Amino acid sequence: MTELKSPTRIALHFAVIASALMGGTCLSSAADMDKVVFMTSWYAQAEHGGYYQAKATGLYEAAGLDVTVRMGGPQINGMQLLLAGETDYYNGFDFQVLSSVEQGLPVKAIAAMFQHDVNGMLTHADVTGLDGLTDKTLMIATTARASWWPWLKDTYGLSESQVKPYTFNIQPFMVDPQAAQQAFPTSEPFSLTQQGIAHNFYLFADYGYPPYGMTLVTRTDVLDNKADVTERFVRASIEGWKSYLADPTPGNKLIQEANPNMTDEQLAFALKRLKELQLVTGGDAATQGIGTMTEERWKASYDYMVSAELLQAGTDWKNAFTTEFVSGLNIIAD
């Protein structure tokens, strides 16, 4: 656990202890705690900040959990590792869970740490909205065809002839004034901002794209056999997100230990964007608390996937999630 020295962190440490005692949970030795393995969706970054914060500040320990946070990455299939029992919880996303349920795989979403999907379109400064893409070259990855591209194409009357491969490199966009490319709000815009290049970023969720982002997923056997552990893990993780938004210093230290390429500047930029876009605190989370999910939102994701022929009609979409572990928590960011 990260050493706490500042008055703010000392106060937070005592708050954690008080919370644990009030909840009937005693701070235990590592040998007495329930071991949990959690896998993120990518290399350690601000988008996983709440989990690293919960570990750094002792929130997991206070909940009687010995949590190992494992990084994902481009060559790691997190869902496959979850199904193989290599990890207990995983940062997935709606479409992946719904597709898994369609295939009869035993997984279920238990919280949505981001109320909106983080995909969007990066454009040059002259483009004033997604409706300005009709004459642009669009650089998108193959994976987008199984997620947001059908929605974008049909909503704005775009064409396959506009598409060129996305190379995970910002340079082609920079040298082509007619180009637009897929992006996350916390990464590519950071690079352009650092270089002083004018640009716009349009989050698809702001234009009606329905799914959640950073959906916390587990297996059904974990829910059957470790419901109490799951309840404690979800609560402590959500408390971690609330803490991270207030003061990310402890979590960022662990993020940088796991991923030394993550700079202070990029972490600060990413947190700023998370707050501006209200990814953690917006939508239903504003009134029902961080991590909340609703049946209506899952139905919207199901309806879109069926309409885009990404999912079979009749898939038991209600079996893709449970609100049992977030309902009534009402942990709202300050």
Side-chain angles (χ1 to χ4, degrees):
M1 187 175 71
T2 300
E3 183 180 1
L4 305 174
K5 293 183 178 180
S6 71
T8 299
R9 295 184 202 174
I10 291 172
L12 176 59
H13 183 59
F14 281 111
V16 168
I17 295 174
S19 175
L21 294 176
M22 289 175 64
T25 302
C26 295
L27 293 171
S28 307
S29 68
D32 296 330
M33 293 190 288
D34 292 300
K35 294 187 181 300
V36 167
V37 179
F38 166 69
M39 174 163 278
T40 67
S41 54
W42 198 251
Y43 300 126
Q45 54 190 307
E47 288 87 335
H48 311 130
Y51 302 104
Y52 284 100
Q53 184 86 351
K55 187 170 178 65
T57 59
L59 285 164
Y60 286 140
E61 184 180 4
L65 302 174
D66 178 12
V67 176
T68 298
V69 181
R70 294 174 58 185
M71 289 195 304
Q75 305 302 321
I76 297 175
N77 188 324
M79 182 62 79
Q80 188 176 76
L81 292 174
L82 176 67
L83 288 166
E86 295 295 318
T87 181
D88 303 301
Y89 307 96
Y90 166 62
N91 248 161
F93 53 97
D94 297 20
F95 293 178
Q96 184 184 40
V97 179
L98 285 163
S99 294
S100 296
V101 169
E102 179 187 36
Q103 299 171 49
L105 300 176
V107 297
K108 198 179 291 282
I110 54 177
M113 296 308 182
F114 285 5
Q115 289 296 298
H116 309 292
D117 183 83
V118 295
N119 282 287
M121 190 63 69
L122 185 70
T123 75
H124 291 284
D126 62 305
V127 178
T128 58
L130 293 179
D131 55 359
L133 298 175
T134 54
D135 62 343
K136 304 301 180 185
T137 297
L138 308 176
M139 292 180 282
I140 69 171
T142 302
T143 53
R145 297 181 182 280
S147 56
W148 52 264
W149 171 242
W151 170 84
L152 187 68
K153 180 176 66 172
D154 292 346
T155 303
Y156 294 96
L158 305 177
S159 124
E160 292 288 346
S161 63
Q162 296 177 250
V163 175
K164 287 188 176 180
Y166 172 56
T167 62
F168 298 90
N169 186 337
I170 201 71
Q171 293 301 319
F173 169 83
M174 292 172 59
V175 300
D176 184 355
Q178 289 301 306
Q181 75 167 51
Q182 68 179 72
F184 291 147
T186 55
S187 53
E188 291 86 354
F190 172 73
S191 299
L192 295 178
T193 299
Q194 290 291 95
Q195 298 179 63
I197 298 174
H199 63 279
N200 289 320
F201 174 82
Y202 299 103
L203 189 72
F204 295 148
D206 287 342
Y207 293 79
Y209 185 56
Y212 289 114
M214 296 293 179
T215 309
L216 186 59
V217 185
T218 190
R219 299 185 311 277
T220 55
D221 67 280
V222 174
L223 297 180
D224 291 339
N225 300 323
K226 298 180 179 180
D228 176 62
V229 171
T230 300
E231 181 179 3
R232 285 181 278 138
F233 179 71
V234 170
R235 177 186 285 273
S237 298
I238 291 173
E239 290 282 8
W241 272 110
K242 178 177 179 177
S243 173
Y244 186 74
L245 294 174
D247 176 11
T249 307
N252 282 349
K253 181 177 179 181
L254 288 191
I255 289 172
Q256 290 177 312
E257 287 177 4
N259 180 12
N261 292 324
M262 189 57 58
T263 66
D264 292 340
E265 292 78 15
Q266 184 154 6
L267 285 168
F269 181 88
L271 180 60
K272 179 174 180 287
R273 294 299 283 147
L274 293 182
K275 290 181 176 181
E276 288 173 347
L277 297 171
Q278 297 184 315
L279 292 174
V280 179
T281 60
D284 295 314
T287 55
Q288 298 177 34
I290 297 169
T292 195
M293 299 187 297
T294 68
E295 185 173 299
E296 291 76 14
R297 286 288 302 280
W298 276 94
K299 179 62 161 55
S301 288
Y302 165 79
D303 287 342
Y304 161 67
M305 289 188 73
V306 170
S307 70
E309 299 183 348
L310 301 175
L311 192 73
Q312 290 291 325
T315 297
D316 186 7
W317 60 274
K318 290 186 179 181
N319 197 36
F321 69 99
T322 177
T323 60
E324 173 186 356
F325 300 98
V326 293
S327 180
L329 284 183
N330 296 320
I331 298 172
I332 298 174
D334 297 328

